[in-house]
Amino acid sequence: MTHRLLFLGPPGAGKGTQAQKLAESQQLLHLSTGDLLRAEVQAGSALGQEAEAVMARGELVSDNLVLAIVRGRLVAHGGGWLLDGFPRNLAQAEALDQLLAELNQPLQKVLLLELADDELVERLLARGRADDNEAVIRHRLEVYRQQTAPLISYYEARGQLKRLPSYGSVEAVAAQVQLALA
Ligand code: B4P
């Protein structure tokens, strides 16, 4: 079966971790806007230079930048896909709806990974990426609550949302993900 899926959840909930596993096992295109932005920063492109300071502050990069990245990848791809870290606000969700209607590739499911703040902070501090210090993490959580969390009811109203507790080992969470797709 072709999967067209989206992972939603606060920073550190394990979206990237689970998306990578699932994309490998189901042979899906894994589109992580965070990874794609970090690759642009690494390459020192104009886009990367624009994104770098915004990401270091824990804020969201501009919708137009992110949309251009996602559009290019989805248009060039024919099979199943998994979006990780996108959309992150209502404007991005609406733009995604438009793009998917244009491509005639409707979204099938949204998997929401849920975890308590203290555990999120602990996981991110252990990861130790450039934007993983406590003050920036707390700000990212605030940005998530204000801008991304409204997407939960957006997708819930369409009957597309599956809530998954993200406690326990990576394997235990992966088993929940498999169950949600069955
Ligand atoms: P992202 O790259 O999307 O990263 P994240 O939300 O911080 O982490 P994720 O939930 O993927 O956690 P992970 O699996 O890595 O965003 C970074 C920044 O990019 C944003 O702040 C923003 O500036 C920008 N950005 C990205 N997308 C954007 C968009 N659409 N619009 C605008 N800006 C955008 O897991 C975290 C850690 O936990 C890892 O170390 C992992 O090993 C560990 N872990 C995972 N599962 C575990 C488990 N079950 N048990 C223990 N540890 C676990």
Side-chain angles (χ1 to χ4, degrees):
M1 182 193 168
T2 304
H3 288 297
R4 292 186 298 273
L5 308 169
L6 193 163
F7 270 105
L8 195 65
K15 302 181 295 291
T17 305
Q18 294 300 328
Q20 193 180 350
K21 274 181 94 68
L22 184 62
E24 266 170 33
S25 72
Q26 303 284 327
Q27 295 182 315
L28 306 174
L29 171 71
H30 174 197
L31 253 183
S32 158
T33 43
D35 286 350
L36 292 168
L37 289 167
R38 279 184 290 277
E40 296 287 343
V41 171
Q42 193 73 28
S45 67
L47 194 156
Q49 284 173 23
E50 198 177 328
E52 189 170 16
V54 179
M55 292 173 79
R57 287 198 303 271
E59 298 189 346
L60 296 185
V61 172
S62 91
D63 293 343
N64 286 344
L65 269 186
V66 176
L67 277 167
I69 293 181
V70 173
R71 168 176 278 275
R73 298 294 196 292
L74 283 187
V75 166
H77 180 74
W81 41 257
L82 202 172
L83 302 179
D84 155 18
F86 174 89
R88 251 179 160 93
N89 60 27
L90 214 46
Q92 292 183 11
E94 287 168 357
L96 176 65
D97 284 344
Q98 264 184 23
L99 174 62
L100 296 182
E102 204 181 291
L103 300 177
N104 197 19
Q105 293 189 22
L107 177 67
Q108 292 163 328
K109 266 184 195 160
V110 176
L111 305 175
L112 171 66
L113 294 177
E114 295 184 295
L115 198 65
D117 281 11
D118 286 350
E119 186 109 5
L120 294 169
V121 174
E122 203 175 298
R123 284 187 188 179
L124 292 173
L125 286 176
R127 179 173 67 183
R129 213 169 59 195
D131 55 344
D132 287 339
N133 66 71
E134 183 145 7
V136 172
I137 293 170
R138 296 273 173 205
H139 185 57
R140 279 157 61 201
L141 287 172
E142 201 44 48
V143 170
Y144 172 77
R145 266 188 283 279
Q146 285 179 8
Q147 302 198 41
T148 312
L151 299 184
I152 296 171
S153 45
Y154 183 80
Y155 290 116
E156 204 157 39
R158 298 182 184 183
Q160 290 184 306
L161 191 87
K162 289 264 180 191
R163 288 175 184 267
L164 305 177
S166 196
Y167 294 94
S169 66
V170 170
E171 285 66 32
V173 180
Q176 298 274 344
V177 170
Q178 291 296 341
L179 272 179
L181 296 180

